[in-house]
Every structure is written in structure tokens, then in C-alpha cells.
Amino acid sequence: SAILVAVQFIAMGYLLFTGTWLASPRLIWLELIGIALIAWAIYAMQPNRVSVLPEVGRNAQLVTRGPYRWIRHPMYTAVLMMMLALM
């Protein structure tokens, strides 16, 4: 899983460093919604329990509040929204 996460970060870094950091004015709303969704997901999960790696922790609990009530993977959804706006 660490290799897949590294590939994901390399791909996002490539997009960010070879292009613009802000989406076009027509798509800036998509990027802002993605940023807000990431913040909401981290808040719902509690920041001290957030991990970059997708492995289940020893004392893990299923989060069913916040965006996790409607979206199974809100952080991945938010990253996809932001990268789509930049592309």
C-alpha cells in the first residue's frame, strides 16, 4: 500500500508542479468543494486518527458521521475532484 500511496503522491505532484495550483475560474468551485470535503472528512475522523496509508489501525473504529455517512471514501473523492478541476 505504501507504493500505491507514493505513486498517487508522485502523480499529484506532477500535476501540481507542471501546471497551475488553481483551477480555471469556471472550475474553481470544484477545487474548493474538494478542499472543504477533505477538511470535513478529517474533522469527522478526528485528526489524530488520520493516516496516509490505507491500512486499518489496531484500535480502529468505523466512522459513520460527517461525509462518511454518505460517501464511502470522502478523502479520495475530494482528491479526485481537485485533480479533475486542475486537469
Side-chain angles (χ1 to χ4, degrees):
S1 68
I3 293 171
L4 294 175
V5 170
V7 169
Q8 178 183 2
F9 277 107
I10 290 168
M12 287 188 314
Y14 177 77
L15 285 175
L16 289 173
F17 291 116
T18 59
T20 180
W21 286 72
L22 291 175
S24 69
R26 293 182 319 166
L27 294 175
I28 193 75
W29 60 272
L30 188 60
E31 190 173 7
L32 294 174
I33 290 172
I35 292 169
L37 184 57
I38 283 179
W40 187 23
I42 290 172
Y43 176 76
M45 184 182 278
Q46 299 173 350
N48 60 341
R49 293 179 25 192
V50 175
S51 173
V52 175
L53 298 177
E55 276 111 24
V56 179
R58 178 171 278 165
N59 296 326
Q61 295 178 340
L62 180 63
V63 178
T64 58
R65 61 186 174 279
Y68 292 94
R69 181 175 292 190
W70 298 286
I71 304 172
R72 185 172 187 160
H73 301 289
M75 289 190 209
Y76 287 135
T77 302
V79 168
L80 286 171
M81 289 169 65
M82 293 181 340
M83 293 298 114
L84 181 63
L86 291 176
M87 289 174 48

